[in-house]
Amino acid sequence: MSGVTSLRPDLKLIADWIAPRSDVLDLGCGDGTLLAWLAANKQITGFGVERDVEQVVRCVEKGLNVIQSDMEYGLSQFEDGRFDEVVLSLTIQAMHNIEGILQEMLRVGRSGIVTFPNFGFWENRWQILTGRMPVSETIPYEWYNTPNIHFCTVNDFDKLLAKLGMRIDEQIVLHQGEKVEFLPNLLGSLALVRFSRT
Amino acid sequence: MTDPRSVGIVTAQKAVFDQPITLSSGATLPRYELMYETYGTLNADASNAILICHALSGHHHVAGKYAETDKAAGWWDNMVGPGKPIDTDRFFVIGLNNLGGCHGSTGPSSINPETGKPYGSTFPLVLVRDWVETQARLADRLGIKQFAAVIGGSLGGMQAMRWAISHPERVRHCLVIASAPKLTAQNIAFNDVARQAILTDPEFHGGDYYEHGVVPKRGLRLARMLGHITYLSDDGMGEKFGRELKSGEYKYGFDVEFQIESYLRYQGDKFSGMFDANTYLLMTKALDYFDPGRHFGGDLVAALKTTLAKFLVVSFTSDWRFSPERSREIVKALLDARRPVSYAEIESRHGHDAFLMDDEPYFGVMRAYLNNIAKEIAA
């Protein structure tokens, strides 16, 4: 299994929030990198949910439990309160029903972790000012081929959680893997939020 | 030329069981025989055995050929062999013909030693759980306490599930492919039309057609034709046959005109010439009766809570006979039972038959999963 150093900085921060031996659900788990690391280093048990069959194969190769499924149809296969942590990493901006998935995350889990590209990052704002749609490290697509349909800033996401009666327990904003403490909504390109029911 | 990815020339074996078995129906068979084949080598601690459970019309000849000149290899030869997903260089693989079958195991067409005549109508109905008991006895005979995996597609997947429920400690991994937790009304309905075709054939003679020197070929042929329609998808059938005419023009009659008619009749003829009608009836009833939640107050979750195996469930998008929804029911029940499970829903146009076909994501999932089993048991 992969060592501590091989985990991407944003995934490492997610991993830091997850307690040893937790029950973890990783939505849009991709090739299972995070789950495999957590299983090896924090003895978690868990499931991945992934739509793409090639990625499902990668997860099975790693010996993970993975359910091939499209989260847009909800998480009805999971019972209420089944998990300690539900992770949705760099996927929410490509989903249709944002409120629905956030509600579902806290239905099946005690705590949710969402990471997303911060549209409020200054480079994005600058590109808009110069009359172009932003293309950057965390938003690497052109407007015509992007899978992303719901962009938001750090502040927007916080407001949505409040509207849904959810509480922010932890929040970190990153740029190029480094934490941004000063003006995070302007200087950070990637946001990580951990939240629960108020 | 020998194919290095084939198990090569194989020989079927027969296991004779003189200890009587009482079946779920209450009937008892004083003795019975099971035909089986094995591929690969059982390791010293007998931990690398895999049982392949067959579907409705399957049998023990899973892989390889009986002679170089055989036209076709075993029914799952693409999946089972050296370097194939079910790798016979690492696993000891067993295929058998189920009790009630017509490929050498004791079944309705076998001679009843008490009467000296074929069992025919007197052969008892057999349930999936009865098959599992006979398979367990074969495993005992071969010195296998625990299977590395029990694997099956369709009706075979039901046997794999039943294994995990009936003998939790004897199954490490359970692979359930294109299967269902129980049949729907529509599915039972298809089976009943198939049975009616056989039962109403004038040459059926109440199941004792052997002594009349005839077989209810017409009924069995119709049953198989109907089955075939349900094993293919509308799209797949359209792609393969469309409205293509054999002669290129309308003949204004009831002879074979469309290619699909030709295909179905050919399949029906071929099948009715080599399969036993009573076995077909028996197999469809085993399908209909399968409902592992039944002895747990109708609760599949409770049934699966007793299992100790890890599960892999696979379905195919265009399979409407055993649709992905049915597989998702199994997955949901396993999740609710807090059992480890992985699930793949493979994009395919081949309908129910997809589980027998080469398809890379499907084979990729199988290879990855079985590779981990091999590592786990250090095979």
Side-chain angles (χ1 to χ4, degrees):
Chain A
M1 290 282 175
S2 41
V4 180
T5 46
S6 66
L7 209 54
R8 233 169 49 204
D10 55 319
L11 295 182
K12 181 65 175 62
L13 287 167
I14 294 173
D16 287 345
W17 281 340
I18 293 172
R21 286 171 292 282
S22 298
D23 247 326
V24 179
L25 179 64
D26 188 359
L27 301 172
C29 63
D31 67 1
T33 300
L34 177 66
L35 279 175
W37 190 92
L38 287 167
N41 295 283
K42 289 201 158 182
Q43 295 75 48
I44 62 112
T45 51
F47 286 87
V49 173
E50 175 55 48
R51 189 175 55 180
D52 177 13
V53 72
E54 300 296 340
Q55 301 280 42
V56 168
V57 174
R58 301 286 92 78
C59 291
V60 172
E61 278 171 359
K62 293 185 174 76
L64 301 168
N65 294 314
V66 59
I67 309 293
Q68 190 181 353
S69 170
D70 188 343
M71 292 176 288
E72 292 283 4
Y73 302 117
L75 304 175
S76 59
Q77 66 267 54
F78 300 108
E79 319 170 85
D80 294 1
R82 169 75 170 78
F83 297 97
D84 298 313
E85 301 278 352
V86 183
V87 179
L88 183 63
S89 169
L90 292 176
T91 304
I92 200 162
Q93 74 280 359
M95 293 191 66
H96 284 95
N97 186 359
I98 304 264
E99 290 176 74
I101 192 67
L102 292 173
Q103 306 269 23
E104 277 288 85
M105 285 174 76
L106 289 193
R107 178 184 65 78
V108 303
R110 285 195 296 112
S111 168
I113 296 171
V114 167
T115 72
F116 58 91
N118 175 28
F119 206 73
F121 178 53
W122 73 269
E123 275 185 31
N124 298 336
R125 299 189 199 200
W126 176 249
Q127 289 183 59
I128 295 267
L129 270 180
T130 63
R132 299 293 302 276
M133 284 298 284
V135 178
S136 65
E137 190 189 336
T138 51
I139 311 177
Y141 301 97
E142 295 289 348
W143 66 274
Y144 49 83
N145 65 11
T146 181
N148 300 327
I149 51 173
H150 280 128
F151 280 121
C152 69
T153 69
V154 173
N155 295 350
D156 290 331
F157 192 74
D158 294 353
K159 275 189 83 172
L160 176 60
L161 288 183
K163 183 197 151 197
L164 296 174
M166 296 170 184
R167 182 184 67 206
I168 296 171
D169 298 316
E170 320 246 14
Q171 184 157 23
I172 295 175
V173 182
L174 295 180
H175 183 57
Q176 293 180 334
E178 299 292 328
K179 280 189 201 178
V180 178
E181 312 276 1
F182 176 66
L183 295 179
N185 195 31
L186 185 66
L187 301 179
S189 53
L190 183 68
L192 297 82
V193 183
R194 184 163 183 242
F195 57 99
S196 58
R197 290 256 168 239
T198 47
Chain B
M1 276 298 281
T2 33
D3 175 3
R5 303 233 315 151
S6 165
V7 296
I9 302 299
V10 298
T11 314
Q13 300 175 73
K14 183 185 280 185
V16 180
F17 297 87
D18 286 317
Q19 191 193 357
I21 185 164
T22 302
L23 303 166
S24 303
S25 65
T28 299
L29 280 175
R31 76 185 288 283
Y32 58 95
E33 300 171 350
L34 295 177
M35 291 299 288
Y36 69 100
E37 286 176 16
T38 69
Y39 323 103
T41 311
L42 189 63
N43 62 9
D45 57 353
S47 64
N48 69 334
I50 287 182
L51 178 68
I52 308 283
C53 301
H54 70 74
L56 183 62
S57 59
H59 42 69
H60 53 283
H61 188 34
V62 176
K65 291 180 173 182
Y66 294 133
E68 281 300 343
T69 48
D70 283 3
K71 259 197 230 155
W75 59 267
W76 221 7
D77 192 75
N78 56 355
M79 185 67 85
V80 179
K84 290 177 183 173
I86 301 173
D87 188 347
T88 51
D89 285 339
R90 306 167 95 178
F91 295 110
F92 177 67
V93 180
I94 304 166
L96 86 162
N97 184 213
N98 280 332
L99 184 67
C102 54
H103 292 88
S105 292
T106 302
S109 53
S110 309
I111 301 294
N112 179 350
E114 283 170 24
T115 62
K117 290 195 297 183
Y119 282 99
S121 62
T122 65
F123 197 84
L125 284 183
V126 179
L127 266 58
V128 169
R129 57 190 311 176
D130 299 324
W131 283 334
V132 168
E133 290 322 302
T134 57
Q135 291 162 2
R137 289 190 186 182
L138 179 62
D140 293 342
R141 181 82 52 99
L142 296 173
I144 296 154
K145 289 198 174 69
Q146 185 190 52
F147 281 107
V150 179
I151 305 177
S154 192
L155 176 57
M158 293 172 166
Q159 292 160 58
M161 249 183 290
R162 172 44 80 185
W163 255 101
I165 294 166
S166 290
H167 299 285
E169 71 296 339
R170 299 192 75 171
V171 187
R172 288 182 77 91
H173 293 269
C174 180
L175 282 73
V176 181
I177 304 164
S179 193
K182 59 186 171 190
L183 290 196
T184 59
Q186 186 195 47
N187 231 318
I188 295 170
F190 280 125
N191 282 343
D192 192 48
V193 175
R195 282 192 295 268
Q196 285 299 314
I198 295 167
L199 294 168
T200 58
D201 186 315
E203 295 188 325
F204 182 64
H205 296 289
D208 295 315
Y209 43 87
Y210 315 98
E211 32 194 284
H212 293 82
V214 292
V215 284
K217 253 189 118 161
R218 274 168 294 179
L220 187 56
R221 176 172 178 267
L222 281 176
R224 186 59 172 179
M225 286 170 78
L226 173 72
H228 252 284
I229 298 169
T230 69
Y231 303 151
L232 301 174
S233 74
D234 191 10
D235 280 354
M237 212 187 249
E239 199 172 273
K240 197 167 172 188
F241 305 104
R243 290 179 50 82
E244 204 180 312
L245 293 161
K246 271 192 80 145
S247 68
E249 56 187 27
Y250 289 2
K251 297 281 195 193
Y252 303 101
F254 298 112
D255 281 343
V256 172
E257 290 198 68
F258 291 93
Q259 286 292 5
I260 181 63
E261 296 175 306
S262 169
Y263 170 79
L264 285 178
R265 291 182 199 195
Y266 170 75
Q267 291 295 341
D269 285 336
K270 194 173 83 169
F271 187 75
S272 63
M274 58 178 216
F275 205 84
D276 179 59
N278 279 320
T279 289
Y280 201 85
L281 293 173
L282 177 147
M283 296 277 171
T284 61
K285 284 304 273 190
L287 271 166
D288 291 2
Y289 286 137
F290 181 71
D291 182 4
R294 193 162 154 266
H295 294 286
F296 294 83
D299 185 359
L300 182 63
V301 177
L304 291 171
K305 267 188 185 150
T306 65
T307 65
L308 296 169
K310 290 185 177 174
F311 283 77
L312 175 67
V313 179
V314 180
S315 73
F316 300 90
T317 51
S318 61
D319 183 354
W320 56 283
R321 186 83 197 251
F322 288 82
S323 69
E325 285 76 15
R326 299 282 85 74
S327 283
R328 284 201 291 263
E329 280 173 35
I330 299 169
V331 172
K332 165 108 178 89
L334 284 165
L335 288 169
D336 288 351
R338 305 275 170 128
R339 302 307 312 150
V341 54
S342 283
Y343 172 59
E345 198 168 296
I346 306 294
E347 194 82 39
S348 168
R349 296 168 73 77
H350 296 296
H352 188 53
D353 274 349
F355 88 88
L356 295 168
M357 307 233 182
D358 284 309
D359 173 280
E360 201 24 65
Y362 168 39
F363 275 50
V365 169
M366 294 293 285
R367 202 179 296 115
Y369 195 90
L370 283 147
N371 194 32
N372 283 332
I373 300 177
K375 279 193 244 166
E376 198 180 285
I377 57 166

